[in-house]
Amino acid sequence: MKKNRSLRSMIFFLAVVLIIPILCFTLYLQVQTWMTMKHNLQRELEGELNTANHTLEMVIDKYDMVLYDFCTDDEIIKLVEQINESEKPSDAVKYQIRRNLVHICNRNVGVEGITLITESGTVCFYDKEASSFVSTKWANKIPKVDMQDQMAVYQGSSYVLGTESQPVHMLQLTRRLADYRNINRQIGIVVLSVNQSVLWDDIQVSDKSTVYICESDQIIAAADPDQIGKSIAVKSQRGYRVLKTKNDKTGWNVYHFYSKVQYDQQIKANICIGLGSMVALMLLSTVLLTFMMRPVLDLVGQLVYAMSEIENGNFDVQIPSVEHPTNEVERIVAGFNEMSGQLKQLVEKVKQSTVDQKNAELQAMEAQIDPHFLYNTLESITWMVEAQKNEEAVIMISELAKLLRVSLSRGKTIIPVKDELQHSRSYMNIQLVRYKERFQMEFQTDKEIEDYCIVKLVIQPILENAIYYGVGNMDEDDEGKITVRGEKKEDDIYITIEDNGMGMRKEVLENILKDNNKVPKHGSGVGVINVHSRIQLMFGEQYGLEIYSEPDEGTRVVIHIPAIPYTKENAEQLEMQKYTQ
C-alpha cells in the first residue's frame, strides 16, 4: 500500500536531504579546520621552542664573546704565563688580573662573578655580590674543569647566591687560556658565572607555555627558580604537550611545556565558533524557509481541509482568497472555490433529479398495486351482486371506499402508520368477505407507533401474498390465521405480518427479495419486491423487509422502518429526500 505523505513532511524531507550533504561538508571542513589548527598550533609551539633555543644561543654567544675577548687578550696571557713561571707570583701581577676581572663583571649585566685558574693552580676571582676579589663564599671554590681539548665548556652551577626567598642560580661558561704561540698548550681556564635570570629577559613565550633548560636531566635554568635543580624526568608531563630540542652550542636540552587544557580549549573554542556559526546559519535558513513556506502551506492545508469537507458532502465550504492571485497556490485556491460552487450547483441538480426519479418510481410502483387490487375487488363485488348478496356487496363497497381514500391520500407518499393500518383493516375486511371467513385476522399493534411516518401501501401487498400463498387455499378446519403486530424498539419501528399457511421453499425464499423472475406470480405478483424497493428508496438500504419461512409452517415478514414522528414538515422533507435525523 502506498503511504500518503503530506506536503509539509515532503518539504521537511527535502530540507533534510539538502541539509545533510551541507552538514556533512561542513563537518568535513570543521575536521579539516581542526587538523589545520592543530598543525598550526604544533608549528607555533615548535616555533616558540626554536625561538627559545635560538635566544639561548644568542645570550650565551654574548657572554661567550666577552669571555673570548678576555681569554685572547695578550696582556692577560702574559700575566698568566708570569704566574705559571714564577714559584711565588707577585701581588702586582695578580692585581692587574683582578682589575680586569672587576671590569668584566661591572660592565656586563648578569655576570655574578668570574674566576681565573692558572695551570699552576693560582686562583684569581671577583665576586660581584661581595664586591670583592679577596673574600668570597664560592668564587674561589670553583673546581678546575677538564677541558679535554675543548675551547669552551658550558654547565650549570651548583652554587646558589642571594637569599632563600630570592635565590640566584648561575650558569657557568668556561673557556681555556692558550698560548697563541702554541695553541695546544693550556695555560689556564676562565669561568664566567652568569645569573640564569638574564635568559628570561630575552626568551619570550606565551602565558600558556613554560621553558626549561636542562643539563642532562637536571634543570639548570627556568623562569621559576624553584624548579632549578630538579630532575626533568620526575616532573609530571601529564596535562602538557612537551617538546624538546638540543642546543648545539652548549649541549643543553631545551624543553617546552604547553598546557593541554589551554591547547584543547583553544581548539574547542575555534570548533565551537565554527559549529555555532553552522547552527546559526541552519537556524536562520530554517526560519527563512518557514517564513517563506508557511503562507503556502497554510493555503495548502486549507485546501486539503476543504477537499475533505467536499468528500464528506459539504459543498458550502469556501477558502478565503485574494481578489487577484499572485502565485500558483493562490490561483489553485481561486479555482477550487469556483469549482466547489459549480459542484454545489451540479449536486443540487443531481439531487433534484434523483428525487424526481424516486418520486416517479414510487408513483409507478403504487400504480402497480392499485389496478390489481381494484380489479380483484370489483370482480368480487360483481360476483356478489350477481349472486344477489347485496348486504355483503354494500360492505365490500364501503370498505373499498375507505381503502381508496387512504390509497389516494391527496397524492402523498408518506402517511401516518395509523392510516396505513386502517387501509390494511379495510383491505382484510374485503378479503374476509370474499373468502367467507375461511381464515382469521388479528391486529396486535402498539398505540405508540400510530403517529410515526410510513410509506403508504406497504402492509396490504404482504397481506395479499399471505392470503394467496398462505392461508387462502386452506380448509376452514385448518384454522388459517394472519396476525399483524407493530412495536417500537429504540429508534426503529417493526411491523410483523405472520401467517400459518403453506410457507415457502428455500429457493423461493432466497430469491424473493432479489430476483422477481424466480418468484411465482399470483395476485399482485410483484408486491413483495415492490414494497422492499419502495422502503429502501425512501429510508435507505438499511431498512426494508425481512422474510422468514418454512414449508408447511408459515411465513413471517418483518417491515423495518425508522421511527420518524409524523408531522407535515417531516413528511414533506421525506418526500423531497431532504430529511436528516
Side-chain angles (χ1 to χ4, degrees):
M1 181 180 291
K2 187 176 181 180
K3 188 176 181 181
N4 295 326
R5 292 188 178 92
S6 66
L7 184 59
R8 292 177 186 269
S9 63
M10 291 176 66
I11 291 177
F12 175 77
F13 177 74
L14 180 61
V16 170
V17 169
L18 292 176
I19 287 174
I20 287 178
I22 297 175
L23 181 62
C24 292
F25 182 69
T26 305
L27 291 176
Y28 171 76
L29 290 180
Q30 283 294 313
V31 172
Q32 292 298 318
T33 302
W34 175 75
M35 293 178 65
T36 302
M37 289 177 56
K38 186 176 180 181
H39 178 69
N40 290 342
L41 187 56
Q42 182 72 15
R43 290 180 60 184
E44 182 180 342
L45 299 181
E46 291 175 354
E48 282 192 356
L49 176 63
N50 293 332
T51 300
N53 184 42
H54 183 65
T55 303
L56 170 63
E57 193 162 329
M58 290 177 60
V59 172
I60 296 298
D61 279 343
K62 181 179 71 172
Y63 290 105
D64 201 24
M65 185 60 67
V66 172
L67 195 57
Y68 175 78
D69 290 341
F70 179 81
C71 292
T72 57
D73 189 301
D74 291 341
E75 183 179 353
I76 296 299
I77 291 175
K78 289 179 181 179
L79 292 174
V80 171
E81 286 184 336
Q82 290 179 16
I83 293 175
N84 287 334
E85 294 173 356
S86 174
E87 294 182 0
K88 187 177 181 181
S90 66
D91 292 335
V93 173
K94 292 181 181 179
Y95 177 77
Q96 288 183 25
I97 292 175
R98 289 168 181 160
R99 186 179 63 182
N100 282 280
L101 298 179
V102 172
H103 289 168
I104 290 175
C105 288
N106 292 334
R107 290 175 183 173
N108 294 281
V109 177
V111 176
E112 297 295 331
I114 185 170
T115 302
L116 188 150
I117 305 174
T118 66
E119 195 66 25
S120 60
T122 301
V123 178
C124 296
F125 65 89
Y126 178 72
D127 182 352
K128 188 175 183 179
E129 183 184 41
S131 299
S132 173
F133 46 71
V134 177
S135 63
T136 182
K137 296 179 180 179
W138 61 275
N140 59 347
K141 298 178 182 178
I142 294 175
K144 187 176 181 180
V145 179
D146 185 5
M147 300 300 289
Q148 295 182 352
D149 298 329
Q150 299 179 78
M151 294 301 298
V153 174
Y154 309 93
Q155 57 189 8
S157 173
S158 59
Y159 300 105
V160 181
L161 307 182
T163 62
E164 185 176 353
S165 60
Q166 293 182 335
V168 175
H169 298 270
M170 295 178 293
L171 302 174
Q172 292 182 337
L173 286 68
T174 304
R175 180 165 282 276
R176 185 173 65 174
L177 280 169
D179 185 357
Y180 63 89
R181 288 168 297 183
N182 185 2
I183 193 98
N184 294 321
R185 188 171 70 88
Q186 180 175 307
I187 61 175
I189 62 172
V190 181
V191 181
L192 185 68
S193 299
V194 180
N195 190 338
Q196 65 90 31
S197 64
V198 298
L199 295 174
W200 312 112
D201 294 335
D202 296 314
I203 297 177
Q204 301 293 328
V205 292
S206 64
D207 297 337
K208 310 175 187 71
S209 302
T210 305
V211 174
Y212 298 101
I213 299 172
C214 300
E215 184 177 15
S216 297
D217 287 336
Q218 187 178 23
I219 299 174
I220 59 174
D224 180 9
D226 294 338
Q227 301 298 320
I228 297 175
K230 297 180 179 179
S231 173
I232 195 70
V234 299
K235 181 172 178 57
S236 175
Q237 297 184 9
R238 187 175 181 181
Y240 291 93
R241 292 184 65 85
V242 181
L243 300 177
K244 172 187 174 183
T245 189
K246 187 173 184 178
N247 186 271
D248 294 333
K249 182 177 184 65
T250 62
W252 296 336
N253 292 320
V254 181
Y255 290 86
H256 182 279
F257 281 68
Y258 186 85
S259 172
K260 281 186 178 179
V261 174
Q262 300 295 334
Y263 180 86
D264 294 339
Q265 283 180 352
Q266 187 173 350
I267 297 292
K268 289 178 181 178
N270 285 278
I271 291 176
C272 289
I273 291 173
L275 291 177
S277 301
M278 179 185 68
V279 171
L281 183 60
M282 290 177 62
L283 290 176
L284 179 61
S285 301
T286 303
V287 170
L288 290 176
L289 182 63
T290 303
F291 178 77
M292 294 173 64
M293 294 302 298
R294 186 168 185 176
V296 176
L297 292 175
D298 288 343
L299 283 177
V300 172
Q302 293 178 18
L303 188 61
V304 172
Y305 171 76
M307 291 176 66
S308 65
E309 287 294 305
I310 287 182
E311 288 177 357
N312 294 329
N314 179 15
F315 298 99
D316 295 324
V317 64
Q318 289 283 305
I319 304 173
S321 60
V322 296
E323 185 176 355
H324 301 290
T326 57
N327 57 56
E328 290 80 357
V329 177
E330 291 179 351
R331 293 192 186 96
I332 292 174
V333 169
F336 176 84
N337 288 336
E338 183 178 355
M339 179 199 70
S340 64
Q342 295 176 354
L343 192 58
K344 180 182 178 182
Q345 295 177 1
L346 180 62
V347 169
E348 291 295 332
K349 290 180 181 179
V350 172
K351 278 187 176 180
Q352 187 60 45
S353 299
T354 303
V355 170
D356 295 342
Q357 182 181 357
K358 286 186 177 180
N359 288 335
E361 291 175 358
L362 288 172
Q363 291 173 1
M365 290 177 179
E366 290 170 7
Q368 283 182 321
I369 296 172
D370 293 345
H372 286 287
F373 174 72
L374 184 60
Y375 172 79
N376 292 332
T377 303
L378 291 175
E379 187 180 56
S380 297
I381 293 172
T382 300
W383 175 78
M384 288 179 183
V385 172
E386 289 176 351
Q388 296 183 357
K389 295 183 178 181
N390 297 330
E391 186 176 344
E392 287 88 344
V394 169
I395 294 173
M396 288 277 283
I397 292 171
S398 176
E399 293 295 336
L400 178 61
K402 293 178 184 179
L403 187 146
L404 290 175
R405 186 165 49 248
V406 173
S407 296
L408 294 175
S409 302
R410 298 179 183 177
K412 295 180 180 178
T413 302
I414 300 298
I415 61 173
V417 172
K418 62 183 177 181
D419 290 350
E420 178 68 9
L421 290 174
Q422 178 59 51
H423 177 274
S424 300
R425 288 189 181 96
S426 297
Y427 173 78
M428 289 306 296
N429 287 335
I430 293 172
Q431 295 290 42
L432 285 171
V433 172
R434 284 185 61 205
Y435 282 87
K436 300 178 182 181
E437 298 186 356
R438 289 205 304 266
F439 57 85
Q440 297 179 12
M441 180 68 209
E442 185 178 6
F443 285 86
Q444 300 177 2
T445 57
D446 295 342
K447 187 74 175 177
E448 66 170 331
I449 71 171
E450 292 183 353
D451 292 325
Y452 286 91
C453 296
I454 193 171
V455 179
K456 71 178 180 180
L457 302 181
V458 294
I459 300 178
Q460 177 264 326
I462 299 173
L463 289 171
E464 184 178 5
N465 285 334
I467 294 172
Y468 288 141
Y469 301 125
V471 299
N473 296 321
M474 294 175 65
D475 294 332
E476 189 174 349
D477 295 337
D478 292 335
E479 297 182 351
K481 185 177 181 179
I482 298 175
T483 306
V484 177
R485 299 184 181 88
E487 60 180 342
K488 180 177 180 292
K489 293 182 180 179
E490 296 181 353
D491 295 330
D492 293 330
I493 290 175
Y494 297 89
I495 298 174
T496 304
I497 298 94
E498 186 173 2
D499 67 76
N500 60 352
M502 296 183 297
M504 287 181 282
R505 299 189 310 273
K506 182 177 180 181
E507 59 269 18
V508 175
L509 181 64
E510 289 175 351
N511 295 286
I512 194 167
L513 296 179
K514 300 177 182 178
D515 189 350
N516 190 46
N517 295 323
K518 296 184 179 180
V519 179
K521 302 296 188 294
H522 195 293
S524 62
V526 295
V528 174
I529 297 179
N530 187 314
V531 170
H532 184 63
S533 299
R534 290 167 59 211
I535 292 174
Q536 289 192 331
L537 280 171
M538 185 59 66
F539 297 117
E541 294 186 359
Q542 67 269 40
Y543 301 102
L545 300 183
E546 299 174 10
I547 302 178
Y548 308 91
S549 183
E550 291 287 340
D552 300 323
E553 294 291 332
T555 301
R556 179 164 53 94
V557 179
V558 180
I559 301 173
H560 178 201
I561 60 175
I564 301 174
Y566 182 84
T567 63
K568 183 179 179 181
E569 182 181 359
N570 285 351
E572 290 177 351
Q573 288 183 349
L574 280 170
E575 294 191 13
M576 295 293 292
Q577 296 289 296
K578 293 184 177 180
Y579 179 81
T580 55
Q581 289 183 318

Short mmCIF file of all heavy atoms in Angstrom, two decimals, residues 193 215 397 550:
data_model
loop_
_atom_site.label_atom_id
_atom_site.label_comp_id
_atom_site.label_asym_id
_atom_site.label_seq_id
_atom_site.Cartn_x
_atom_site.Cartn_y
_atom_site.Cartn_z
N SER A 193 80.57 33.27 35.57
CA SER A 193 79.33 32.85 36.23
C SER A 193 78.24 33.90 35.93
O SER A 193 78.36 35.07 36.32
CB SER A 193 79.53 32.72 37.74
OG SER A 193 80.50 31.73 38.01
N GLU A 215 70.68 20.40 31.88
CA GLU A 215 71.96 19.76 31.61
C GLU A 215 71.79 18.30 31.99
O GLU A 215 71.56 18.00 33.17
CB GLU A 215 73.07 20.41 32.45
CG GLU A 215 74.45 19.86 32.14
CD GLU A 215 75.53 20.58 32.94
OE1 GLU A 215 75.19 21.28 33.91
OE2 GLU A 215 76.70 20.42 32.60
N ILE A 397 -68.31 -2.52 -0.85
CA ILE A 397 -68.18 -1.18 -1.45
C ILE A 397 -67.76 -0.15 -0.40
O ILE A 397 -66.92 0.71 -0.65
CB ILE A 397 -69.51 -0.79 -2.11
CG1 ILE A 397 -69.77 -1.70 -3.32
CG2 ILE A 397 -69.48 0.68 -2.55
CD1 ILE A 397 -71.16 -1.53 -3.90
N GLU A 550 -40.88 -21.42 6.50
CA GLU A 550 -40.61 -22.85 6.45
C GLU A 550 -41.79 -23.52 5.75
O GLU A 550 -42.96 -23.18 6.01
CB GLU A 550 -40.47 -23.43 7.86
CG GLU A 550 -39.23 -22.98 8.60
CD GLU A 550 -37.98 -23.63 8.06
OE1 GLU A 550 -38.10 -24.69 7.38
OE2 GLU A 550 -36.87 -23.12 8.32
#
